[in-house]
């Protein structure tokens, strides 16, 4: 219990620090979201000072309030679930924009990351167990994909498989002409079809790294004394590989997986830009271009929570998998 409370306390302090930075950083950026919105409204007529003040209150950017009061109101609004109004998608609320885009990102990047990790761990374990096998020899080929810049790999696949071969669509998250969003097989199949190429790009760019890391840890683990003892007991090779070697070799990869899973949201920016995918990465790019710091704060908050949440879960899981990490204090 002390181990869990100590970890929770650390992550609560880390969350507070990240939220504080999330409050100050957008306000230090050049530009003003109110001015951005007024420039759009001024095309339809003059904007009075009263209208400007009303917009400042609406966007939570009231310049008449001192910074400390804005800071307190920021935390109060977050705990109420009010993240403000987006300038880029005005008058849509930030929470609604995030709610509409986050499922696309989690479904695509999250699932692709889990698939790459699972495949990399399984194949890497076999590669380390059977050194010199076919699986072991394809690792250098897969690591080649990891060395290629992600956006370049995505553009290559788009050029050959979409533009030239016509197998996959060039952009989008689903067929907007023939399907409507909903829990129907027609829509779900369209989403899967449009997400195959981005998912393949993510898997190819990260599979080699997971395999190489797991393979090297397996080679190191197989030289340990407890593996020799297990062999002397007459245990089957599969039992030794699964329960003794792989179980201990996978521990460092779990930490790396926690970081990768936590950065699923923030790591989607390049993916969604290359494939014009309607996820939260595209919304973040739009927010930066429009100086929409309410939306930026909301997305950064989601990124912070996802990173800290994933690391907390994996940290606790790591403590139960390897009790040696639970330092008693």
């Amino acid at each position: 219990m002390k181990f869990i409370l100590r970890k929770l306390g650390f992550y609560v302090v880390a969350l507070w620090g990240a939220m504080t930075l999330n409050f100050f950083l957008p306000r230090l950026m050049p530009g003003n979201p109110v001015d951005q919105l007024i420039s759009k409204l001024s095309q339809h007529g003059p904007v009075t000072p009263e209208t400007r003040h009303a917009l400042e209150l609406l966007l939570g950017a009231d310049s008449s309030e001192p910074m400390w009061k804005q800071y307190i109101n920021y935390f109060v609004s977050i705990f109420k679930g009010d993240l403000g109004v987006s300038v880029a998608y005005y008058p849509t609320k930030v929470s609604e924009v995030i709610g509409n885009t986050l499922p696309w990102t989690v479904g695509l990047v999250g699932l692709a990351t889990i698939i790459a990790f699972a495949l990399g761990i399984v194949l890497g374990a076999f590669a380390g167990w059977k050194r010199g096998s076919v699986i072991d020899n394809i690792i250098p080929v897969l690591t080649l994909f990891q060395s290629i810049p992600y956006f370049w790999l995505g553009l290559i696949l788009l050029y050959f498989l979409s533009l030239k071969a016509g197998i996959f669509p060039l952009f989008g998250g689903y067929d907007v002409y023939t399907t409507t969003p909903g829990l129907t097989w027609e829509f779900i199949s369209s989403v899967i079809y449009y997400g195959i190429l981005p998912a393949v790009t993510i898997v190819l760019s990260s599979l080699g790294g997971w395999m190489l890391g797991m393979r090297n840890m397996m080679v190191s683990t197989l030289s340990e004394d407890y593996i020799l003892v297990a062999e002397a007991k007459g245990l089957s090779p599969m039992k030794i590989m699964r329960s003794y070697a792989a179980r201990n070799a996978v521990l460092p990869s779990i930490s790396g997986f926690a970081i990768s899973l936590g950065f699923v949201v923030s790591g989607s920016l390049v993916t969604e830009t290359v494939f014009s995918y309607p996820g939260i990465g595209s919304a973040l790019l739009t927010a930066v271009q429009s100086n929409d710091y309410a939306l930026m704060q909301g997305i950064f908050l989601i990124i912070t929570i996802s990173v800290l949440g994933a690391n907390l879960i994996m940290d606790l899981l790591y403590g139960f998998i390897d009790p040696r990490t639970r330092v008693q204090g």
Side-chain angles (χ1 to χ4, degrees), residues 198-234:
V200 168
T201 308
I202 296 172
V203 172
L204 283 178
S205 63
S206 57
L207 180 60
W210 293 120
M211 286 185 63
L212 183 61
M214 186 62 182
R215 186 259 185 199
N216 292 339
M217 285 304 303
M218 279 290 291
V219 172
S220 177
T221 303
L222 289 174
S223 62
E224 296 292 339
D225 292 337
Y226 58 83
I227 299 295
L228 182 61
V229 172
E231 292 174 346
K233 288 181 178 179

Side-chain angles (χ1 to χ4, degrees), residues 60-80:
D62 189 359
S63 58
S64 63
E65 290 185 342
M67 190 64 70
W68 66 267
K69 190 172 183 180
Q70 294 183 40
Y71 180 74
I72 295 175
N73 292 336
Y74 166 72
F75 276 89
V76 172
S77 299
I78 286 178
F79 287 113
K80 288 182 178 180

